[in-house]
Amino acid sequence: MIELRNVIKKFGSFTAVDNITLSVPKGELFGFLGPNGAGKTTTIKMMAGLFAPTGGQILINGYDVVKNPVQAKTVISYVPDQPFLYDKLTGREFLYFIGGLYKMEKKALAEKIDELVEHFEIGEWVDKRTEDYSQGMRQRITISAALVHDPKVFIIDEPIIGLDPRSAKIVRETLQQKAREGVSIFMSTHSLPIAEELCDRIGFIKNGRLVFLGTQENLQVYKQKYDGKFESVFLELTK
């Protein structure tokens, strides 16, 4: 579970995130949308423990990310919009490296890697260096690495950008599957169709503040006020 309580982030006199409160329970796929510079990535980096909030509190499965950072990070996975790979490692070596960081037992790790290789259809590439991977293959191996330790919370920034249709389908289905398994998923995206297709609830952020937070049913009510299009709701609430 993810809980943000009156979270604020300032950079000098600039307020990037302004008093955000929301929660994502187990098994929910939450979509976080907003225009460029709205505060999405800053919010995500605080949740992942990369930025300390200026005010408020962030809890990951009950662990305060500031007071209990190690415990929080043991149950979380974070995939940024521009994921980093060690180009001289093969995909399999990278997966073993990540599993080692979480101190996974070797046999269990090997079995998990075999499972992920099959699920993400990367058997042809997993033993090649990642420097030779396409964008779609890099995203597949990155998400595989994020899931290797079976996280309870999964935070992902722009999961579909630049992916071919097959890779995008695998990523979409993986997010839905993990939500069904009880994982709390926090997804930031610029893709309105992806958010509308996948997310149980959606939040819009503008100038660091939440301007909409609701279910797909709530969104349908808003759509009826305009021309029935999700895009029109988004543009109106974030203009």
Side-chain angles (χ1 to χ4, degrees):
M1 183 174 183
I2 304 168
E3 293 183 78
L4 280 68
R5 300 175 178 174
N6 304 111
V7 174
I8 298 169
K9 181 60 181 178
K10 294 186 177 183
F11 297 97
S13 60
F14 174 68
T15 302
V17 175
D18 193 358
N19 199 35
I20 286 183
T21 295
L22 63 85
S23 64
V24 181
K26 294 179 180 179
E28 181 173 271
L29 206 168
F30 180 81
F32 198 48
L33 288 77
N36 291 334
K40 300 188 301 298
T41 298
T42 299
T43 302
I44 282 176
K45 286 186 174 181
M46 286 191 288
M47 293 164 55
L50 299 177
F51 289 163
T54 307
Q57 187 180 33
I58 300 174
L59 300 175
I60 303 293
N61 265 32
Y63 296 116
D64 188 305
V65 297
V66 174
K67 296 178 181 178
N68 308 108
V70 175
Q71 292 92 330
K73 289 173 184 177
T74 60
V75 297
I76 195 171
S77 272
Y78 166 51
V79 177
D81 56 346
Q82 296 182 342
F84 174 82
L85 295 174
Y86 291 101
D87 287 349
K88 299 305 179 184
L89 294 182
T90 67
R92 191 183 303 275
E93 289 169 342
F94 183 70
L95 292 175
Y96 269 104
F97 169 70
I98 297 299
L101 293 177
Y102 287 98
K103 299 180 181 180
M104 293 180 66
E105 191 271 328
K106 288 185 178 180
K107 182 180 179 182
L109 176 56
E111 292 175 352
K112 186 65 178 182
I113 288 174
D114 287 343
E115 175 190 319
L116 290 167
V117 168
E118 180 178 359
H119 175 78
F120 284 96
E121 301 177 5
I122 53 179
E124 182 180 351
W125 289 88
V126 72
D127 292 308
K128 297 181 180 180
R129 288 183 176 179
T130 61
E131 64 185 353
D132 297 324
Y133 285 11
S134 66
Q135 173 66 20
M137 199 57 60
R138 293 176 72 88
Q139 187 74 331
R140 291 194 212 182
I141 202 72
T142 300
I143 296 176
S144 297
L147 298 177
V148 75
H149 68 296
D150 290 323
K152 303 298 183 185
V153 170
F154 189 21
I155 301 169
I156 187 164
D157 197 355
E158 297 295 354
I160 307 296
I161 282 184
L163 300 189
D164 61 84
R166 182 62 184 167
S167 295
K169 181 176 184 292
I170 290 172
V171 171
R172 292 199 309 271
E173 291 176 348
T174 299
L175 293 174
Q176 290 173 316
Q177 175 185 325
K178 288 300 169 183
R180 288 193 298 269
E181 292 173 2
V183 177
S184 303
I185 302 176
F186 191 102
M187 179 182 70
S188 173
T189 181
H190 282 298
S191 174
L192 301 183
I194 290 296
E196 191 168 21
E197 174 190 351
L198 298 182
C199 297
D200 302 304
R201 282 194 307 143
I202 290 172
F204 295 161
I205 185 173
K206 173 189 174 185
N207 297 329
R209 282 185 166 270
L210 277 178
V211 294
F212 174 84
L213 179 63
T215 64
Q216 289 284 0
E217 289 75 16
N218 300 142
L219 184 61
Q220 294 304 318
V221 174
Y222 270 85
K223 286 167 66 174
Q224 293 172 12
K225 294 180 180 180
Y226 301 100
D227 57 3
K229 296 180 180 179
F230 186 19
E231 180 183 41
S232 299
V233 177
F234 175 81
L235 292 174
E236 180 65 26
L237 292 178
T238 61
K239 68 180 180 181

